[in-house]
Amino acid sequence: MIDQRPEGVKGGQTIDQDVFSDPRTGKSYLYWGNGFMAGAELNEDMTSIKKETLTILKPDKTFREGTYVFYRKGVYYFMWSEDDTRSENYRVRYATSDSPLGTFSFPENNL
């Protein structure tokens, strides 16, 4: 579905795609990226994105790949991999937002 990096992204790969369907709005979103995190609203066909919604999301410097999103009690949770899965330093991190394509808040202890 995603065959190129978003404009302005120089490195990384377009892998690890994840779909999130927002129970609040009924809209669905696609997230992807390795070395960068991108997200966009999906069209009703669920096979193409609304290009005008494409957003380069700004996780902290720990982001590697593997975005996963869920919604709970009015909060959107974004999870991702830090470091390589083969590394002894591999971890899963998270941030929260009030929007599926919004600005992140980073809890202090979020492993």
Side-chain angles (χ1 to χ4, degrees), residues 37 59-68 70 77-83 89-96 106-111:
M37 183 191 290
D60 63 12
K61 294 179 182 177
T62 66
F63 180 79
R64 171 72 177 256
E65 63 191 5
T67 306
Y68 181 79
F70 66 93
Y77 290 83
F78 290 74
M79 297 172 26
W80 62 84
S81 295
E82 174 186 359
D83 210 352
N89 297 319
Y90 175 79
R91 308 164 208 230
V92 175
R93 297 247 183 207
Y94 79 97
T96 59
F106 301 94
E108 278 188 42
N109 184 9
N110 70 358
L111 292 177

Side-chain angles (χ1 to χ4, degrees), residues 3 7 9 17-19 25 31 38-39 41 54 57 67 69-70 82 86 89 107:
D3 61 355
E7 188 175 323
V9 173
Q17 297 164 2
D18 179 58
V19 172
T25 65
Y31 301 92
E41 186 180 335
L54 175 60
L57 299 159
T67 306
V69 181
F70 66 93
E82 174 186 359
R86 297 165 289 196
N89 297 319

